[in-house]
């Protein structure tokens, strides 16, 4: 590719389209989070800049959960009697005080917005695929076909650290095949842990293949090193070129780390960007790698210390699901993180606290693939796909409903029983919560019908909110203390506000299912679960799913305040930005 070719997606027309789409989202989500207060102006709304001299006008439908469904084509910008073009970077500068953007955060946030816009321009170069076509596609075509990223975050594709050639090589939407770099790490500084029944040598041979293992061992013996002294670690190519080869230069010089070369299998980056699906052998494990780029409020490293307990936490949760009749009956499964490897750079450890990005530069885990669990006729789709809308305004969820032949409410009920009922039961029976957003759940489909759900990203994302829970020693790190009045936000915020809010709006906008019908169905499935589990009646009263309102927890406010570390990892619930309340859409039922 020529130098100019690397930016061929950045044309004036695509840039204008990307800015319009991003401003639609910014106006909608910032109004939802009450950072801005649109005023009614006839049949339109108006938002003014901090100095009052610029205004943005648009048409919108207001829906449940204070959701603003804005028509992107209706947005206009006005200043000094003229109508200048829409420009997202200008918008954030014009409203920086309203948005609480400090002088320190603003330029870095603008950089993340620029990257997000550039990514949208790239997506606009791809041949348009309808939601109906996507619904008939394979798992990875759906994964790489997503265009929106996280539905709430406005700057959701920052990926600070990627150059354009790296974006084209490693962003999930570019669907470029990737080969992982492998390092040999001296056992004095590295540790491999695995779930029950997994042994390092045989696991590695299954993942890499006999030929590759022997090739890597030859690299070590060729340098007079004993392969028995080393553990093999898969590394994101970006991490090797940009971080490890420089930041860990001492480790390389002293043969604590030895670069073995690339593996033979080809992988595709997933929506989470640092997790890879093996396209050469889809039954093999996903590989999740450390990646020291800033994306959506965090450096995307992986902690070597955290890796040690990861397989044990996954085994514990798998046993819990297997032994619980409600979870088992729902069809819920997890794809376990079966093995993990981490490398400890002793000097950086001495220089930093345990949350430092310098401690998260070299680690990896292997997560089961959902492919071997499929029965005949079953297919897979990331749950994020339910919020995908194609270039014609048709939703992926609507395409699945059409394919299923069910009524929209029947289809929704099946999806809720598979995805939402297990979340309710985990909360009420075990004080156990997940991070169940679209990218962390895989749906198993049969002719467009959701038959069961697969949860993933377990060890880093689950929490038990009972401080007295009897947990095995190796699992205790998942125990967290959360104030009583915010416990149910694990459902109200993560599920209702950050996922169902959008799904309900899409289905209503297309005339597939009215909002009332959507929330009535959620209420029915909630009641169905509660009536089937009378032994938990006291808990249902204590944590009331039908309460009139719940606290509005704002995600963009976290990122606008600190886009390098959104949440204090020592006190995740203390970091919440709670602003007023939302009316609970279940309360009327």
């Amino acid at each position: 590719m020529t130098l100019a070719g690397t930016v061929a997606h950045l044309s004036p027309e695509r840039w204008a389209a990307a800015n319009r789409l991003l401003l639609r989202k910014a106006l909608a989500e910032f109004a939802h989070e009450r950072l801005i207060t649109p005023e009614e102006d006839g049949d339109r709304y108006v938002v003014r800049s901090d100095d009052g001299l610029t205004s943005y006008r648009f048409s919108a439908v207001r829906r449940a959960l204070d959701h603003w469904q804005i028509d992107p084509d209706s947005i206009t910008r006005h200043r000094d009697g003229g109508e200048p073009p829409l420009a997202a970077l200008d918008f954030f500068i014009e409203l920086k005080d309203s948005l609480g953007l400090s002088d320190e955060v603003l330029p870095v946030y603008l950089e993340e917005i620029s990257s997000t816009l550039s990514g949208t321009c790239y997506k606009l170069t791809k041949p348009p695929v309808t939601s109906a076509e996507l619904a008939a596609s394979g798992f990875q075509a759906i994964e790489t076909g997503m265009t929106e990223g996280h539905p709430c975050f406005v700057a959701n594709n920052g990926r600070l650290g990627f150059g354009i050639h790296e974006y084209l090589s490693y962003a999930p939407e570019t669907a470029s095949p990737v080969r992982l770099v492998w390092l040999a790490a001296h056992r004095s500084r590295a540790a491999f842990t695995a779930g029950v029944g997994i042994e390092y040598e045989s696991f590695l041979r299954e993942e890499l293949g006999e030929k590759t293992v022997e090739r890597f061992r030859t690299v070590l013996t060729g340098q007079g090193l004993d392969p028995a002294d080393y553990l093999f670690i898969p590394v994101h190519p970006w991490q090797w070129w940009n971080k490890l080869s420089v930041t860990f230069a001492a480790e390389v010089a002293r043969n604590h780390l030895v670069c073995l070369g690339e593996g033979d299998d080809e992988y595709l980056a997933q929506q989470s960007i640092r997790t890879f699906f093996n396209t050469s052998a889809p039954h093999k494990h996903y590989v999740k790698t450390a990646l020291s780029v800033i994306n959506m409020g965090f450096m995307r490293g992986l902690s070597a210390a955290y890796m040690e307990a990861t397989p044990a936490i996954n085994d514990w949760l798998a046993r819990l699901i297997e032994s619980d009749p409600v979870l088992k009956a729902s069809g819920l499964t997890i794809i376990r993180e079966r093995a993990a490897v981490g490398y400890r750079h002793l000097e950086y450890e001495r220089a930093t606290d345990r949350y430092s990005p310098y401690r998260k530069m070299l680690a990896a885990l292997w997560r089961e693939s959902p492919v071997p669990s499929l029965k005949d006729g079953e297919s897979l789709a990331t749950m994020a796909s339910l919020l995908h809308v194609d270039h014609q305004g048709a939703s992926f969820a609507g395409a699945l409903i059409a394919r299923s032949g069910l009524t929209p409410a029947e289809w929704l009920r099946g999806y809720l029983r598979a995805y939402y009922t297990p979340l309710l039961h985990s909360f009420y029976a075990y004080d156990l919560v997940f991070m169940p957003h679209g990218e962390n759940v895989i749906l198993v489909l049969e002719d467009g019908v959701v038959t069961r759900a697969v949860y993933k990203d377990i060890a880093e994302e689950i929490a038990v909110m009972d401080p007295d829970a009897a947990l095995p020693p190796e699992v205790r790190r998942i125990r967290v203390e959360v104030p009583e009045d915010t416990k149910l936000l694990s459902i109200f915020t993560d599920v209702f506000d950050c996922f169902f809010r959008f799904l309900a709006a899409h289905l209503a906008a297309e005339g597939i299912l009215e909002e009332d019908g959507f929330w009535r169905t959620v209420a029915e499935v909630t009641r169905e679960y509660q009536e089937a589990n009378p032994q938990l009646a006291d808990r249902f009263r204590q944590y009331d799913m039908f309460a009139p309102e719940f606290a509005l927890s704002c995600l963009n406010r976290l990122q606008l305040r600190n886009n390098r570390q959104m949440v204090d990892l020592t006190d995740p619930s203390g970091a919440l930005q709670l602003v007023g309340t939302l009316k609970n859409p279940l309360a009327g039922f």
Side-chain angles (χ1 to χ4, degrees), residues 124-302:
L124 290 170
T125 66
K126 296 169 87 169
V129 176
T130 65
S131 284
E133 289 168 328
L134 204 57
S137 300
F139 182 32
Q140 290 305 296
I142 294 168
E143 183 79 29
T144 57
M146 296 302 92
T147 54
E148 185 43 63
H150 195 290
C152 301
F153 284 105
V154 176
N156 64 11
N157 280 326
R159 301 163 181 171
L160 297 188
F162 275 5
I164 187 62
H165 57 302
E166 293 158 333
Y167 169 83
L168 295 170
S169 301
Y170 308 130
E173 61 268 21
T174 65
S176 303
V178 176
R179 293 191 181 201
L180 298 177
V181 173
W182 285 79
L183 304 183
H186 199 272
R187 286 176 182 264
S188 62
R189 296 184 172 216
F192 175 88
T193 50
V196 177
I198 288 183
E199 183 270 323
Y200 172 74
E201 282 291 336
S202 55
F203 180 78
L204 207 68
R205 286 176 191 278
E206 279 168 28
E207 279 301 302
L208 275 169
E210 197 74 43
K211 199 171 82 199
T212 308
V213 170
E214 287 314 311
R215 172 160 61 87
F216 287 170
R217 289 169 69 95
T218 304
V219 173
L220 291 169
T221 52
Q223 295 182 36
L225 303 169
D226 183 354
D229 292 339
Y230 289 86
L231 295 170
F232 291 177
I233 302 187
V235 171
H236 194 297
W238 185 95
Q239 195 74 353
W240 169 250
W241 289 110
N242 292 277
K243 285 293 174 189
L244 302 175
S245 57
V246 179
T247 312
F248 281 43
E251 307 303 277
V252 176
R254 295 184 291 195
N255 284 336
H256 290 149
L257 288 177
V258 180
C259 185
L260 303 170
E262 291 183 340
D264 293 329
D265 285 355
E266 291 195 335
Y267 290 82
L268 272 184
Q270 302 297 280
Q271 286 286 307
S272 65
I273 204 162
R274 58 185 170 150
T275 301
F276 291 96
F277 180 84
N278 191 323
T279 51
S280 298
H283 63 281
K284 286 188 190 178
H285 290 73
Y286 286 93
V287 180
K288 184 175 181 176
T289 56
L291 183 64
S292 299
V293 302
I294 290 177
N295 197 42
M296 257 172 30
F298 286 106
M299 181 74 80
R300 297 288 159 176
L302 266 189

Side-chain angles (χ1 to χ4, degrees), residues 523-537:
E524 285 168 1
V525 172
T526 307
R527 286 243 184 266
E528 167 190 272
Y529 163 69
Q530 293 186 345
E531 284 163 9
N533 293 278
Q535 75 281 9
L536 295 169

Side-chain angles (χ1 to χ4, degrees), residues 377-421:
E378 290 184 332
S379 62
L380 300 167
T382 172
M383 192 174 85
S385 64
L386 295 188
L387 304 186
H388 174 76
V389 176
D390 69 17
H391 56 292
Q392 296 168 338
S395 71
F396 185 83
L400 290 181
I401 292 168
R403 207 162 173 226
S404 73
L406 300 174
T407 67
E410 281 174 327
W411 183 91
L412 180 61
R413 193 171 286 114
Y415 159 65
L416 292 170
R417 284 173 180 157
Y419 161 67
Y420 168 66
T421 300

